[in-house]
Amino acid sequence: MKTAKIHILSDEIINKIAAGEVIERPASVVKELIENALDAGSTFIRVQIEEGGKKKITITDNGEGMSPEDLKLCFLRHTTSKLSSADDLFHLRTNGFRGEAVASIAAISKMTIISKTKDAPCAQKVEIQSGDLKKTEEISAPQGTSFVIEDLFFNTPVRRNFLSSESAESTRILDVIVRIAIAHPEIRFEYRNGSKEVFTGVEGDLRSRLAETIGTGIAKKLIPLDYFENNISITGFISPSEMQNGKKNRHFLYLKNRPIWNPAVIKAVQKAYEPYGKLISPTSVLFLDMPDMDFDVNVHPAKKEVRFVNDSAIYSTVHRAIRNKLQEESAACGAPIIHLNDCSYTSTVQEPEKKWPSFNNEISNDTLKRNFQAKPNPPKEALVQDLFSLPEFGKIIPLSQKSFEIPEKAPLYSTPSFLQLAETYIVCQDMEGLLLIDQSAAHARILYEQALKTLSSNNMINSQELLFPELIELSKVEKSLLVEILPDLKKLGFYLEPFGGDTYQIRGIPSGLSFSRAEKCIHEFLDSLQEDSPSSKVPLDATAKAWASTTAYRANEKLSGEEMASLVNQLLQTEEPLISPYGKPTLLRIPIEDIHKKFKR
Ligand code: ADP
Ligand code: MG
């Protein structure tokens, strides 16, 4: 007789599967255990890690503690003191409510918990391995709870292998702590990595907490925000419209005082700053509040992403709140008010990055270089980008296949000359027509290849020493990233030295880079690294890309004839002259044949 194929999974496997959903890495442990400490009414929370949290994480609080009975229950699945009816699921009063976190962590680590309530005569200590209680002991300890997590993922080695470098994991932990600490300036936080004090947040107000986390200089300039519309309340701080620092990852978003992530809100913030110029890189710390039925936090077990019932109302309210505040501020400074049209939000899904058509296959790099050097007989069949037939100006469409007869006799031009259009594009010519080169994208391509070569050799990029070294203040996350890539930065021409606390001294910058841009470049560089490689040791390619894109010429930057000539020549020496390191086009060609046609020749 055939036996059944289906069987019920063992508790051990169920727990490991569930653990995988809640606990992805050491930072998830820290997040869950800090949230529990907050729920326990703590006013002091200390996080200590070893080896990026892979070896050991200790989280100590001075909260209400657990009784010996509760201590023996808290690491079992679905045990919670916070949720008693299904209805509660929709009312987010505490940080936790699933009763999953401690059990999940216990299933995949060696856990020790020490806890004491106010009235208990002494503290209780329990040791748990793979979710099983191994030992119970009475010891003396102050009121509160201490969780010690050792050898995370020791029994799920595949997961362990997915973890990043120690420094990348500790940076993620720092990010978690910083985001929570901003929401709780009334609580003292301490974060130690090995023997190093990484962060201390003393009890204070929001602005002082922001000074501790994102930098005193920035915190001083932030403008307070307090807005209410559509049943949505928005409070917090935003940067003034003229402040430029770092490019991304400067948005701290909270719902009911808990860190969340939502692309629509971030987009609304960016949009509100747009009229003040493309170079503005805003910082925002926004605390949203709204009725419970207007959002759902159960999208993900780790509860980070929130779904709003009405995304477009949130989008336009956030946009209006910030836009109005910025307008008020510019009016107060006597600057003309910028009139903005209301904009509405269409989709939370970010537009996929427009991919440059496989230009490479169609205009070959060799052909391009040959044409530009004005050799007499360029091969026929060179394929061209037909700009005039584009359905919509500015949109890039795949190239049409089209053969192009070059007059046999004389090359069109012998000496290239250069013109700058809108201080953004270089206009010049080759054998087949008019070339339009995006100066910023082209320069980024040149620098990217230079950086890759430099980083993988013993070479150094030339550096110019600053006569008066400048100070740069970094956020905690930036600083920890900087420490990791300092040797690479040095090779790329940036000489930075610690100047105490989170401040560094810029002593040298790559030659050719303008002094006035040095500080912003470093912030941008660190921000784009965070974006490109948040999960692993920073790869060379990401460093090269970030360096190239932040130090390259900008749009709206005036170039001399020589600079343009040198840029175009260098571009043609690169391995991939047609695309920027981020896959955007560097160059378009309008065939002379098409220009003739337009003039009805
Ligand atoms: P949840 O937070 O969803 O209730 P957890 O698994 O995170 O589930 O925690 C289980 C229970 O353990 C909590 O409901 C709480 O009663 C207790 N607990 C966990 N951490 C602490 C702490 N630091 N202080 C006091 N009690 C705690
Ligand atoms: Mg919890």
Side-chain angles (χ1 to χ4, degrees), residues 32-42 59-67 70-71 73-83 94-105 113-117 144-147 303:
E32 292 294 340
L33 295 185
I34 292 185
E35 286 184 350
N36 282 347
L38 292 174
D39 287 343
S42 312
I59 299 195
T60 307
D61 67 51
N62 64 352
E64 66 186 14
M66 282 178 270
S67 66
D70 281 344
L71 201 52
L73 285 175
C74 73
F75 57 89
L76 305 178
R77 260 170 79 68
H78 306 305
T79 52
T80 177
S81 53
K82 301 167 195 170
L83 175 78
T94 57
N95 285 297
F97 48 75
R98 290 163 173 267
E100 248 170 7
V102 176
S104 298
I105 302 166
I113 320 173
I114 299 166
S115 197
K116 180 186 173 304
T117 54
T145 304
S146 211
F147 275 87
K303 301 181 297 269

Side-chain angles (χ1 to χ4, degrees), residues 12-42:
E12 192 195 343
I13 296 181
I14 293 173
N15 281 345
K16 280 190 189 172
I17 295 173
E21 282 180 19
V22 186
I23 306 299
E24 285 171 0
R25 52 193 347 116
S28 347
V29 172
V30 172
K31 172 184 170 289
E32 292 294 340
L33 295 185
I34 292 185
E35 286 184 350
N36 282 347
L38 292 174
D39 287 343
S42 312

Side-chain angles (χ1 to χ4, degrees), residues 2-10:
K2 220 175 168 196
T3 51
K5 280 186 294 185
I6 299 174
H7 59 271
I8 295 170
L9 293 175
S10 72

Side-chain angles (χ1 to χ4, degrees), residues 163-183:
L163 295 182
S164 312
S165 68
E166 281 177 27
S167 62
E169 293 297 346
S170 33
T171 301
R172 279 172 174 265
I173 292 175
L174 176 61
D175 190 58
V176 163
I177 297 174
V178 161
R179 281 177 192 274
I180 299 180
I182 289 177

